[in-house]
Amino acid sequence: MRNWFGFWLSLVATFYASPVLGAEIATERRDGVNWIHLRGKIEAGDAMHFQRLAIKTESATVVLESNGGALEPALKIGEIIRLKEFGTVVPDGVTCVSSCALIWVAGSSRSLGQNSRVGFHASYTLQDGRHQETGLGNALIGRYLTLLNMPQKAIVFATSASPSSFRWIDPTDSYESGISFTVLSDPDEFAKTPESGTSQIDESEGADSLLLPRFHWKKGQWQVATHRKRTACTLVAAFAQEQGAANKSLLLFGRDVGADRMLLAFANEKFRSIGEGEEYEIEMIFETDGTADRGWGVAKFLSFTLDDGSRGFGAYFNAAKLGKDLSEEQTINFVHANEVIDGYPLTGASEAYAQLNRCLRGGGALEDPFAR
């Protein structure tokens, strides 16, 4: 019974490692060279995800494309890059600003294109919707750059712009910033990315890299992702304690393209005492306006264990019926031995499920939003 669950079990573990889903981080091996691509907003959990891939990768260059994000995970990623002595690059015509730029400076070697945009500004917090510069954040940046052996000039350059502006790296003048770098001689050198079909994923890197989700759509807690090694789409809602949840938890729906059944899996860090690889009788109950729909009855869920010791349950259901309830109901609860063991709000689930179907209709391929 575990065989049919193996792919999705690995995938749940990948999502669960980053309860607040942020940047896309993917490994690639091309022409005998290792690359780690980091794209998108940097959020909590990304440092852990990056570390898991970096541990398995030697002599890599980190390719960056991001408008920034959370400061703490970015500094941690930078520390890992320096420890592993990875190089960093911002491809020609690509933007890397704010916390992304702080990752870029950590490279043992740094490069960018003639038309790359690498920009820094002071650290800030949001107060009443306004960007408020924070001395503590700037102190963390200063300490980080000092540990990277950056000169005082570079520290001033990286923190002197207000939160609403940038100080830009001039590709023709590294002296101004105090940060040494090289300019790419071939602007197309890093144009090929993992989804281009011209590169090879190194299967020796293991399941974490092969099953790494590639982000398709995100809104609120909901996210739709596609995958490299399987024509499948996944809809996931991840919750962390800092987002108001009592425990770190995750609700996941996974479906292969063309399949008539869909996996439902849920994990919660409070499930510490359940067995591994065992069947549990659990009733799934949808609810709207206080009215419970118990039409699903009791089903057999398979339990699983994640890397951090947290447990979860998963089972397959009729995709059309499950999708209908997911789109129309307000909450979903799971009951075992007449006790509610977990529950999730379904606010926004209807739109999210529509995006999952859109992904499936596309054969699990990423969409170009500008091609519509």
Short mmCIF file of all heavy atoms in Angstrom, two decimals, residues 193-235:
data_model
loop_
_atom_site.label_atom_id
_atom_site.label_comp_id
_atom_site.label_asym_id
_atom_site.label_seq_id
_atom_site.Cartn_x
_atom_site.Cartn_y
_atom_site.Cartn_z
N THR A 193 17.40 27.84 -18.07
CA THR A 193 17.03 27.50 -16.70
C THR A 193 16.46 26.09 -16.69
O THR A 193 16.22 25.51 -17.74
CB THR A 193 15.99 28.50 -16.17
OG1 THR A 193 14.90 28.53 -17.09
CG2 THR A 193 16.58 29.88 -16.04
N PRO A 194 16.23 25.49 -15.52
CA PRO A 194 15.81 24.11 -15.48
C PRO A 194 14.60 23.77 -16.31
O PRO A 194 14.49 22.68 -16.84
CB PRO A 194 15.53 23.89 -13.98
CG PRO A 194 16.46 24.82 -13.31
CD PRO A 194 16.51 26.02 -14.20
N GLU A 195 13.63 24.71 -16.45
CA GLU A 195 12.43 24.35 -17.21
C GLU A 195 12.61 24.50 -18.71
O GLU A 195 11.69 24.25 -19.48
CB GLU A 195 11.23 25.19 -16.74
CG GLU A 195 11.35 26.67 -17.03
CD GLU A 195 11.90 27.40 -15.82
OE1 GLU A 195 12.69 26.81 -15.07
OE2 GLU A 195 11.54 28.57 -15.63
N SER A 196 13.79 24.93 -19.17
CA SER A 196 13.97 25.14 -20.59
C SER A 196 14.08 23.85 -21.38
O SER A 196 13.94 23.86 -22.59
CB SER A 196 15.26 25.96 -20.82
OG SER A 196 16.40 25.20 -20.46
N GLY A 197 14.33 22.75 -20.68
CA GLY A 197 14.42 21.46 -21.35
C GLY A 197 15.80 21.16 -21.88
O GLY A 197 16.02 20.11 -22.46
N THR A 198 16.77 22.06 -21.68
CA THR A 198 18.10 21.84 -22.22
C THR A 198 19.07 21.34 -21.16
O THR A 198 20.20 21.01 -21.46
CB THR A 198 18.65 23.15 -22.81
OG1 THR A 198 18.72 24.13 -21.77
CG2 THR A 198 17.77 23.64 -23.94
N SER A 199 18.64 21.35 -19.90
CA SER A 199 19.52 20.94 -18.82
C SER A 199 19.07 19.62 -18.24
O SER A 199 17.95 19.19 -18.45
CB SER A 199 19.55 22.01 -17.74
OG SER A 199 18.24 22.27 -17.29
N GLN A 200 19.96 19.00 -17.50
CA GLN A 200 19.66 17.69 -16.93
C GLN A 200 19.65 17.79 -15.41
O GLN A 200 20.53 18.39 -14.81
CB GLN A 200 20.72 16.67 -17.35
CG GLN A 200 20.77 16.44 -18.85
CD GLN A 200 19.51 15.77 -19.36
OE1 GLN A 200 18.96 14.89 -18.71
NE2 GLN A 200 19.04 16.20 -20.51
N ILE A 201 18.63 17.18 -14.81
CA ILE A 201 18.60 17.09 -13.36
C ILE A 201 19.45 15.90 -12.95
O ILE A 201 19.32 14.81 -13.49
CB ILE A 201 17.16 16.89 -12.86
CG1 ILE A 201 16.28 18.04 -13.34
CG2 ILE A 201 17.11 16.79 -11.35
CD1 ILE A 201 16.75 19.40 -12.90
N ASP A 202 20.34 16.11 -12.00
CA ASP A 202 21.22 15.04 -11.54
C ASP A 202 20.45 14.14 -10.58
O ASP A 202 20.17 14.52 -9.46
CB ASP A 202 22.43 15.65 -10.82
CG ASP A 202 23.43 14.60 -10.39
OD1 ASP A 202 23.15 13.41 -10.60
OD2 ASP A 202 24.47 14.99 -9.85
N GLU A 203 20.10 12.92 -11.03
CA GLU A 203 19.26 12.05 -10.23
C GLU A 203 19.96 11.54 -8.99
O GLU A 203 19.33 11.00 -8.09
CB GLU A 203 18.74 10.88 -11.09
CG GLU A 203 17.94 11.38 -12.27
CD GLU A 203 17.01 10.31 -12.82
OE1 GLU A 203 16.88 9.25 -12.18
OE2 GLU A 203 16.42 10.54 -13.87
N SER A 204 21.27 11.70 -8.90
CA SER A 204 21.97 11.30 -7.69
C SER A 204 21.69 12.24 -6.54
O SER A 204 22.00 11.96 -5.39
CB SER A 204 23.48 11.27 -7.94
OG SER A 204 23.98 12.58 -8.20
N GLU A 205 21.05 13.37 -6.84
CA GLU A 205 20.78 14.36 -5.80
C GLU A 205 19.65 13.91 -4.89
O GLU A 205 19.44 14.46 -3.83
CB GLU A 205 20.41 15.72 -6.42
CG GLU A 205 21.59 16.35 -7.13
CD GLU A 205 21.17 17.55 -7.94
OE1 GLU A 205 19.98 17.88 -7.93
OE2 GLU A 205 22.03 18.14 -8.59
N GLY A 206 18.85 12.92 -5.29
CA GLY A 206 17.83 12.37 -4.42
C GLY A 206 16.48 13.01 -4.62
O GLY A 206 16.28 13.92 -5.41
N ALA A 207 15.51 12.52 -3.84
CA ALA A 207 14.11 12.88 -4.03
C ALA A 207 13.84 14.35 -3.77
O ALA A 207 12.99 14.95 -4.41
CB ALA A 207 13.23 12.03 -3.12
N ASP A 208 14.54 14.96 -2.82
CA ASP A 208 14.25 16.36 -2.50
C ASP A 208 14.38 17.24 -3.73
O ASP A 208 13.58 18.13 -3.96
CB ASP A 208 15.21 16.87 -1.42
CG ASP A 208 14.88 16.28 -0.06
OD1 ASP A 208 13.77 15.78 0.09
OD2 ASP A 208 15.75 16.32 0.82
N SER A 209 15.43 17.02 -4.53
CA SER A 209 15.63 17.83 -5.72
C SER A 209 14.68 17.43 -6.84
O SER A 209 14.10 18.27 -7.51
CB SER A 209 17.08 17.70 -6.19
OG SER A 209 17.27 18.40 -7.39
N LEU A 210 14.52 16.12 -7.04
CA LEU A 210 13.69 15.65 -8.15
C LEU A 210 12.23 16.03 -7.99
O LEU A 210 11.53 16.28 -8.96
CB LEU A 210 13.81 14.12 -8.27
CG LEU A 210 15.20 13.59 -8.61
CD1 LEU A 210 15.18 12.08 -8.58
CD2 LEU A 210 15.66 14.09 -9.96
N LEU A 211 11.76 16.04 -6.74
CA LEU A 211 10.36 16.30 -6.49
C LEU A 211 10.09 17.75 -6.13
O LEU A 211 8.97 18.10 -5.76
CB LEU A 211 9.85 15.39 -5.36
CG LEU A 211 9.98 13.89 -5.64
CD1 LEU A 211 9.53 13.10 -4.43
CD2 LEU A 211 9.17 13.50 -6.86
N LEU A 212 11.11 18.57 -6.20
CA LEU A 212 10.95 19.96 -5.81
C LEU A 212 9.82 20.61 -6.57
O LEU A 212 9.82 20.64 -7.80
CB LEU A 212 12.25 20.72 -6.08
CG LEU A 212 12.29 22.18 -5.64
CD1 LEU A 212 12.24 22.27 -4.12
CD2 LEU A 212 13.53 22.85 -6.17
N PRO A 213 8.81 21.15 -5.89
CA PRO A 213 7.72 21.80 -6.59
C PRO A 213 8.16 23.09 -7.27
O PRO A 213 9.03 23.80 -6.77
CB PRO A 213 6.71 22.09 -5.48
CG PRO A 213 7.52 22.15 -4.24
CD PRO A 213 8.64 21.19 -4.44
N ARG A 214 7.56 23.37 -8.42
CA ARG A 214 7.82 24.62 -9.13
C ARG A 214 6.53 25.43 -9.11
O ARG A 214 5.49 24.95 -9.53
CB ARG A 214 8.28 24.32 -10.55
CG ARG A 214 9.69 23.76 -10.58
CD ARG A 214 9.94 22.94 -11.80
NE ARG A 214 9.75 23.72 -13.00
CZ ARG A 214 9.80 23.19 -14.21
NH1 ARG A 214 10.03 21.91 -14.34
NH2 ARG A 214 9.63 23.93 -15.26
N PHE A 215 6.60 26.65 -8.61
CA PHE A 215 5.41 27.37 -8.24
C PHE A 215 4.65 27.87 -9.47
O PHE A 215 5.20 28.40 -10.41
CB PHE A 215 5.78 28.52 -7.31
CG PHE A 215 6.54 28.06 -6.10
CD1 PHE A 215 7.58 28.81 -5.61
CD2 PHE A 215 6.23 26.87 -5.48
CE1 PHE A 215 8.29 28.39 -4.50
CE2 PHE A 215 6.94 26.44 -4.38
CZ PHE A 215 7.97 27.21 -3.88
N HIS A 216 3.35 27.69 -9.41
CA HIS A 216 2.47 27.96 -10.53
C HIS A 216 1.53 29.11 -10.22
O HIS A 216 1.25 29.95 -11.03
CB HIS A 216 1.68 26.67 -10.83
CG HIS A 216 0.61 26.78 -11.85
ND1 HIS A 216 0.84 26.55 -13.17
CD2 HIS A 216 -0.70 27.11 -11.74
CE1 HIS A 216 -0.30 26.70 -13.84
NE2 HIS A 216 -1.24 27.04 -13.00
N TRP A 217 1.01 29.12 -8.98
CA TRP A 217 0.04 30.14 -8.56
C TRP A 217 0.02 30.18 -7.04
O TRP A 217 0.17 29.16 -6.37
CB TRP A 217 -1.34 29.78 -9.09
CG TRP A 217 -2.46 30.68 -8.62
CD1 TRP A 217 -2.87 31.85 -9.20
CD2 TRP A 217 -3.30 30.49 -7.48
NE1 TRP A 217 -3.92 32.39 -8.50
CE2 TRP A 217 -4.20 31.58 -7.43
CE3 TRP A 217 -3.37 29.51 -6.50
CZ2 TRP A 217 -5.17 31.70 -6.43
CZ3 TRP A 217 -4.33 29.63 -5.50
CH2 TRP A 217 -5.22 30.72 -5.47
N LYS A 218 -0.15 31.36 -6.47
CA LYS A 218 -0.20 31.49 -5.02
C LYS A 218 -1.10 32.64 -4.63
O LYS A 218 -1.05 33.71 -5.24
CB LYS A 218 1.20 31.71 -4.45
CG LYS A 218 1.23 31.84 -2.94
CD LYS A 218 2.65 32.07 -2.44
CE LYS A 218 2.68 32.24 -0.92
NZ LYS A 218 4.04 32.54 -0.44
N LYS A 219 -1.93 32.40 -3.62
CA LYS A 219 -2.77 33.45 -3.06
C LYS A 219 -3.10 33.08 -1.62
O LYS A 219 -3.70 32.04 -1.37
CB LYS A 219 -4.05 33.64 -3.87
CG LYS A 219 -4.86 34.86 -3.43
CD LYS A 219 -6.02 35.11 -4.38
CE LYS A 219 -6.79 36.36 -4.01
NZ LYS A 219 -7.91 36.62 -4.93
N GLY A 220 -2.72 33.95 -0.70
CA GLY A 220 -2.96 33.65 0.70
C GLY A 220 -2.21 32.38 1.11
O GLY A 220 -1.04 32.20 0.81
N GLN A 221 -2.92 31.49 1.80
CA GLN A 221 -2.31 30.23 2.23
C GLN A 221 -2.25 29.20 1.11
O GLN A 221 -1.56 28.19 1.24
CB GLN A 221 -3.12 29.63 3.40
CG GLN A 221 -3.20 30.51 4.63
CD GLN A 221 -1.84 30.78 5.22
OE1 GLN A 221 -0.91 30.00 5.08
NE2 GLN A 221 -1.70 31.91 5.90
N TRP A 222 -2.95 29.45 0.01
CA TRP A 222 -3.10 28.44 -1.04
C TRP A 222 -2.05 28.60 -2.12
O TRP A 222 -1.71 29.71 -2.52
CB TRP A 222 -4.49 28.52 -1.66
CG TRP A 222 -5.58 28.22 -0.67
CD1 TRP A 222 -6.31 29.12 0.03
CD2 TRP A 222 -6.05 26.93 -0.29
NE1 TRP A 222 -7.21 28.48 0.83
CE2 TRP A 222 -7.07 27.13 0.66
CE3 TRP A 222 -5.71 25.62 -0.65
CZ2 TRP A 222 -7.75 26.07 1.26
CZ3 TRP A 222 -6.39 24.57 -0.06
CH2 TRP A 222 -7.39 24.79 0.88
N GLN A 223 -1.58 27.48 -2.60
CA GLN A 223 -0.59 27.50 -3.67
C GLN A 223 -0.74 26.26 -4.55
O GLN A 223 -0.96 25.16 -4.06
CB GLN A 223 0.82 27.54 -3.08
CG GLN A 223 1.90 27.62 -4.14
CD GLN A 223 3.17 28.24 -3.59
OE1 GLN A 223 3.13 29.18 -2.82
NE2 GLN A 223 4.29 27.72 -3.98
N VAL A 224 -0.61 26.47 -5.85
CA VAL A 224 -0.61 25.37 -6.82
C VAL A 224 0.80 25.23 -7.35
O VAL A 224 1.45 26.23 -7.68
CB VAL A 224 -1.59 25.64 -7.97
CG1 VAL A 224 -1.46 24.57 -9.06
CG2 VAL A 224 -3.03 25.68 -7.45
N ALA A 225 1.29 24.00 -7.42
CA ALA A 225 2.66 23.75 -7.88
C ALA A 225 2.67 22.61 -8.88
O ALA A 225 1.81 21.73 -8.86
CB ALA A 225 3.57 23.41 -6.70
N THR A 226 3.67 22.64 -9.78
CA THR A 226 3.91 21.54 -10.71
C THR A 226 5.23 20.90 -10.34
O THR A 226 5.95 21.38 -9.47
CB THR A 226 3.96 22.05 -12.16
OG1 THR A 226 5.02 23.01 -12.27
CG2 THR A 226 2.66 22.71 -12.56
N HIS A 227 5.60 19.82 -11.03
CA HIS A 227 6.76 19.03 -10.63
C HIS A 227 7.54 18.57 -11.84
O HIS A 227 6.99 18.34 -12.90
CB HIS A 227 6.32 17.82 -9.81
CG HIS A 227 5.29 18.20 -8.80
ND1 HIS A 227 5.62 18.78 -7.61
CD2 HIS A 227 3.94 18.14 -8.84
CE1 HIS A 227 4.51 19.06 -6.94
NE2 HIS A 227 3.49 18.69 -7.67
N ARG A 228 8.87 18.43 -11.65
CA ARG A 228 9.75 18.08 -12.76
C ARG A 228 9.53 16.67 -13.28
O ARG A 228 9.50 16.43 -14.47
CB ARG A 228 11.20 18.18 -12.29
CG ARG A 228 11.74 19.55 -12.43
CD ARG A 228 13.23 19.51 -12.39
NE ARG A 228 13.66 20.86 -12.21
CZ ARG A 228 13.74 21.42 -11.01
NH1 ARG A 228 13.48 20.73 -9.96
NH2 ARG A 228 14.09 22.68 -10.90
N LYS A 229 9.47 15.70 -12.38
CA LYS A 229 9.55 14.31 -12.77
C LYS A 229 8.20 13.61 -12.85
O LYS A 229 8.13 12.40 -12.95
CB LYS A 229 10.45 13.56 -11.77
CG LYS A 229 11.93 13.92 -11.92
CD LYS A 229 12.46 13.43 -13.25
CE LYS A 229 13.94 13.71 -13.40
NZ LYS A 229 14.50 13.19 -14.63
N ARG A 230 7.12 14.38 -12.80
CA ARG A 230 5.81 13.75 -12.87
C ARG A 230 4.82 14.77 -13.40
O ARG A 230 4.84 15.93 -13.02
CB ARG A 230 5.39 13.30 -11.47
CG ARG A 230 4.14 12.43 -11.45
CD ARG A 230 4.08 11.69 -10.13
NE ARG A 230 2.89 10.87 -10.03
CZ ARG A 230 2.71 9.95 -9.08
NH1 ARG A 230 3.65 9.74 -8.20
NH2 ARG A 230 1.60 9.25 -9.03
N THR A 231 3.93 14.33 -14.31
CA THR A 231 2.91 15.22 -14.84
C THR A 231 1.78 15.28 -13.83
O THR A 231 0.76 14.60 -13.96
CB THR A 231 2.40 14.74 -16.21
OG1 THR A 231 2.00 13.37 -16.10
CG2 THR A 231 3.49 14.87 -17.25
N ALA A 232 1.98 16.07 -12.80
CA ALA A 232 1.04 16.17 -11.70
C ALA A 232 0.98 17.60 -11.22
O ALA A 232 1.90 18.39 -11.43
CB ALA A 232 1.46 15.24 -10.56
N CYS A 233 -0.12 17.93 -10.58
CA CYS A 233 -0.28 19.25 -9.98
C CYS A 233 -0.72 19.08 -8.53
O CYS A 233 -1.43 18.13 -8.20
CB CYS A 233 -1.32 20.07 -10.74
SG CYS A 233 -0.88 20.44 -12.46
N THR A 234 -0.29 19.99 -7.70
CA THR A 234 -0.57 19.92 -6.27
C THR A 234 -1.16 21.23 -5.78
O THR A 234 -0.71 22.31 -6.16
CB THR A 234 0.73 19.64 -5.49
OG1 THR A 234 1.31 18.44 -5.97
CG2 THR A 234 0.45 19.50 -4.01
N LEU A 235 -2.18 21.11 -4.93
CA LEU A 235 -2.77 22.25 -4.26
C LEU A 235 -2.48 22.11 -2.78
O LEU A 235 -2.77 21.06 -2.18
CB LEU A 235 -4.28 22.28 -4.50
CG LEU A 235 -5.10 23.31 -3.72
CD1 LEU A 235 -4.65 24.73 -4.05
CD2 LEU A 235 -6.59 23.14 -4.00
#
